[in-house]
Amino acid sequence: MFNAIEEVRDRTHWLSDVDPLRHPGAPDARIAFSQRIVQTLDLVQSSAALQRRLVHAGDTIYQAGQAFENLHILSTGCAKIVSLSADGREQVVGFKFKGDWMGFDGIADACHRCDAIAMDTGEVWTIGYDALLAGCAKAPALLKLLHAAMSHEIAHDRDSLMSVCTLPAEARVADFLLQWVESMAKRGLRTDAITLKMTRAEIGNYLGMALETVSRTLSRLARENIIDFVEKGRRDLRIADPQALQGFVRRYGVV
Amino acid sequence: MFNAIEEVRDRTHWLSDVDPLRHPGAPDARIAFSQRIVQTLDLVQSSAALQRRLVHAGDTIYQAGQAFENLHILSTGCAKIVSLSADGREQVVGFKFKGDWMGFDGIADACHRCDAIAMDTGEVWTIGYDALLAGCAKAPALLKLLHAAMSHEIAHDRDSLMSVCTLPAEARVADFLLQWVESMAKRGLRTDAITLKMTRAEIGNYLGMALETVSRTLSRLARENIIDFVEKGRRDLRIADPQALQGFVRRYGVV
DNA sequence: CGTAATGTTGACATCACTCAAATAGGGTGG
DNA sequence: CCACCCTATTTGAGTGATGTCAACATTACG
């Protein structure tokens, strides 16, 4: 049922062409992504009335249970999306950055199913869903961007599931760092020093492991000189050896 | 950071109202869902040219790496969606049933990122994405249905992540069965006897555990008379005690 | 400067994986 | 219809990865 590794490799060659995001040396898609953000922000501004709001760490952008009316775009800053279950479990299902849309989860049932909470100072643009649809009717390019954003979110969520299901804990942390750097690179933000905006508990929750495991893994990566902690605080770090970090993921990936 | 259970419970009361799907005795949303399927199938048929195709277990509906051109709707049958990573891991990211859309993952990069493979005899409707958008321009209701479907998929993927990250293995299997029954109920299909169309390996991959763990858990549930295996074969089963099955999930859920 | 929140590290327990063997079922060809 | 093979499934035994608990260190913040 599940193919031999070589066979799978044959079938995944295309990934290097289509999704060079994870493959250094092919920055085309990164530039395309960066342009898409600019394009989105421009087009949204010109096509629909929007409300700008300055948010700070801890501010609620929307909340599970609220009636769905608006979509949101993070024009700058960083936010987390937390899903709640009926029996009280909570799960960080994603982190959002500059240019990301938020609130798609609410469309289906006209009610948000997650909390969106700012983790840093930033600006949120809020657009009425109906107004946005009206804008899309006039500017088809806007609709395409909207669909691309939703599609991207679906693909990303699946990548998360893949990571949690197929990688052991330490490799998931390494993969998380790689994705973080990639996210920054795609947005044209600095990648030489990265600042994790969230606690170990939030990372652990997102990756499906105990916060202690996150801490231990980061310590190990630092001990092996794959990452460096930058002076004070343990939230600022530098990827000293990206190759080794990738190796860390792959070593455990297939087995 | 993470609230006390009682506090979370307070905030999740709305779930019983908004999403009664998981709560027996409130079938409204199920009926709504069932109607949405009919509505979708009708509207799609009348709004855009579509191609019907009969598929059998094992047939490929679309494949990772293919250029994205079409969306698909499963009008009957059952399919699995398998995501592939660059380093050869593969992950079952979802199962699709009557009325489900497939192919959203391809919109963002104009290239599919998953395989979609039929697991049963059924019919697939294929619609050109551009033709569909043209249809949406004429029938705004179709666009709303499309967005609802994408939104639903995002919400579902997040539920999967929540399950994998917050529930121990046995509870995930129980939760999987509950979701399966709920999926059938929402579609108006029979729930007294359910037939798992996939192997233990596929269930285990989807739920992030070894196939042996799936098998052991099902055996345990049968031993405790929470489920029954229906005569020959171990793929046909009956939920003997839905309450106990829910209890099985909740018992381990919060801890 | 003191307190609470966050992060680190160690010791230990345990859940779930791996390996292995046996059984059952389904399909195929004689 | 039966014998056979091949895949799927079950079950057991042992191990290892990761969670839990606990103590301590560090940082952030009022």
Side-chain angles (χ1 to χ4, degrees):
Chain A
M1 178 57 62
F2 292 98
N3 307 315
I5 294 167
E6 292 73 22
E7 201 176 325
V8 173
R9 284 257 168 74
D10 282 348
R11 297 198 40 217
T12 52
H13 278 149
W14 58 270
L15 275 173
S16 346
D17 303 327
V18 173
D19 185 17
L21 302 184
R22 289 162 164 265
H23 303 266
D28 303 348
R30 286 185 190 170
I31 293 171
F33 191 95
S34 176
Q35 287 171 344
R36 189 151 76 195
I37 292 176
V38 175
Q39 202 182 348
T40 301
L41 295 177
D42 282 353
L43 203 48
V44 167
Q45 273 187 97
S46 59
S47 304
L50 59 85
Q51 190 184 337
R52 289 184 169 82
R53 178 184 160 203
L54 187 67
V55 295
H56 298 95
D59 289 355
T60 297
I61 298 166
Y62 62 83
Q63 226 172 1
Q66 284 180 348
F68 168 79
E69 291 173 6
N70 305 306
L71 289 173
H72 310 270
I73 298 176
L74 205 52
S75 73
T76 59
C78 173
K80 66 172 176 179
I81 310 296
V82 184
S83 188
L84 304 171
S85 79
D87 54 356
R89 289 169 284 143
E90 43 186 72
Q91 176 65 40
V92 175
V93 295
F95 297 110
K96 300 293 177 182
F97 304 102
K98 175 185 174 183
D100 285 338
W101 292 76
M102 296 180 290
F104 293 141
D105 53 90
I107 297 177
D109 299 315
C111 178
H112 284 294
R113 299 180 47 118
C114 308
D115 292 351
I117 296 165
M119 312 198 68
D120 196 6
T121 301
E123 193 181 61
V124 175
W125 295 2
T126 298
I127 310 112
Y129 178 58
D130 293 330
L132 186 68
L133 289 187
C136 287
K138 291 176 204 155
L142 181 59
L143 185 62
K144 294 226 168 190
L145 283 173
L146 181 67
H147 287 180
M150 296 179 81
S151 171
H152 204 268
E153 179 142 346
I154 290 170
H156 184 273
D157 288 353
R158 288 175 174 178
D159 286 344
S160 291
L161 190 66
M162 159 102 69
S163 174
V164 171
C165 287
T166 66
L167 293 177
E170 295 197 323
R172 294 208 292 278
V173 175
D175 193 55
F176 173 73
L177 293 179
L178 286 172
Q179 284 185 52
W180 186 283
V181 170
E182 192 51 53
S183 288
M184 295 302 115
K186 275 159 53 179
R187 289 166 175 79
L189 305 174
R190 60 186 299 186
T191 58
D192 54 333
I194 67 184
T195 300
L196 302 176
K197 304 291 186 187
M198 70 291 291
T199 67
R200 303 289 192 255
E202 287 165 328
I203 298 173
N205 179 286
Y206 176 57
L207 297 177
M209 69 188 70
L211 67 93
E212 292 92 333
T213 306
V214 177
S215 180
R216 271 187 256 266
T217 305
L218 291 175
S219 294
R220 177 179 167 190
L221 290 171
R223 199 183 322 123
E224 297 184 6
N225 297 315
I226 296 173
I227 66 171
D228 290 327
F229 285 109
V230 183
E231 44 180 335
K232 287 188 180 177
R234 306 273 294 186
R235 290 204 188 174
D236 296 279
L237 53 87
R238 201 175 62 83
I239 311 294
D241 189 346
Q243 295 296 336
L245 196 57
Q246 288 228 0
F248 204 90
V249 176
R250 304 216 168 197
R251 187 155 356 127
Y252 300 103
V254 185
V255 180
Chain B
M1 179 56 62
F2 292 99
N3 306 316
I5 294 165
E6 292 73 21
E7 200 178 325
V8 173
R9 284 259 167 73
D10 283 348
R11 297 198 39 217
T12 53
H13 278 148
W14 59 270
L15 274 173
S16 345
D17 303 327
V18 173
D19 185 18
L21 302 182
R22 290 163 162 265
H23 304 265
D28 303 347
R30 287 184 189 169
I31 294 171
F33 191 94
S34 177
Q35 286 172 342
R36 190 151 76 193
I37 292 176
V38 176
Q39 203 182 347
T40 301
L41 295 177
D42 283 353
L43 203 48
V44 167
Q45 273 187 98
S46 58
S47 304
L50 59 85
Q51 190 184 336
R52 288 184 169 79
R53 178 184 160 202
L54 188 67
V55 295
H56 298 94
D59 288 356
T60 297
I61 299 166
Y62 62 84
Q63 227 173 359
Q66 283 180 349
F68 167 80
E69 291 173 6
N70 305 308
L71 288 172
H72 310 270
I73 298 177
L74 205 53
S75 74
T76 58
C78 173
K80 66 173 176 180
I81 310 296
V82 183
S83 189
L84 304 170
S85 78
D87 54 354
R89 288 169 284 143
E90 44 185 72
Q91 175 66 41
V92 175
V93 294
F95 297 110
K96 300 293 176 183
F97 304 102
K98 175 185 174 182
D100 286 337
W101 292 77
M102 297 178 289
F104 293 142
D105 53 89
I107 298 176
D109 299 316
C111 178
H112 285 294
R113 299 180 47 117
C114 308
D115 292 352
I117 297 166
M119 311 197 69
D120 197 6
T121 301
E123 193 181 62
V124 175
W125 295 2
T126 298
I127 311 111
Y129 178 58
D130 292 331
L132 185 68
L133 287 187
C136 287
K138 292 175 202 156
L142 181 58
L143 185 62
K144 295 225 168 190
L145 283 173
L146 181 67
H147 287 180
M150 296 179 81
S151 171
H152 205 268
E153 179 142 347
I154 290 170
H156 185 275
D157 288 353
R158 288 175 175 178
D159 287 343
S160 292
L161 191 65
M162 160 102 69
S163 174
V164 170
C165 287
T166 66
L167 293 176
E170 295 196 322
R172 293 208 292 278
V173 175
D175 192 54
F176 173 74
L177 293 178
L178 286 173
Q179 283 184 53
W180 186 284
V181 170
E182 191 51 53
S183 288
M184 295 303 115
K186 275 159 52 179
R187 289 166 175 79
L189 304 174
R190 59 185 301 185
T191 58
D192 54 332
I194 66 184
T195 301
L196 302 176
K197 304 291 186 187
M198 70 290 291
T199 66
R200 303 289 192 254
E202 286 165 329
I203 298 174
N205 180 287
Y206 176 57
L207 297 177
M209 68 187 70
L211 67 94
E212 291 94 333
T213 305
V214 177
S215 179
R216 271 186 256 267
T217 304
L218 291 174
S219 295
R220 177 179 167 189
L221 289 171
R223 200 182 322 124
E224 298 184 6
N225 296 316
I226 297 173
I227 66 172
D228 289 327
F229 285 108
V230 183
E231 45 180 334
K232 287 188 181 178
R234 306 274 293 186
R235 292 205 188 174
D236 296 277
L237 52 88
R238 200 175 62 84
I239 312 293
D241 188 346
Q243 294 296 336
L245 196 55
Q246 288 228 0
F248 204 88
V249 176
R250 304 215 169 197
R251 186 154 359 124
Y252 299 103
V254 185
V255 179

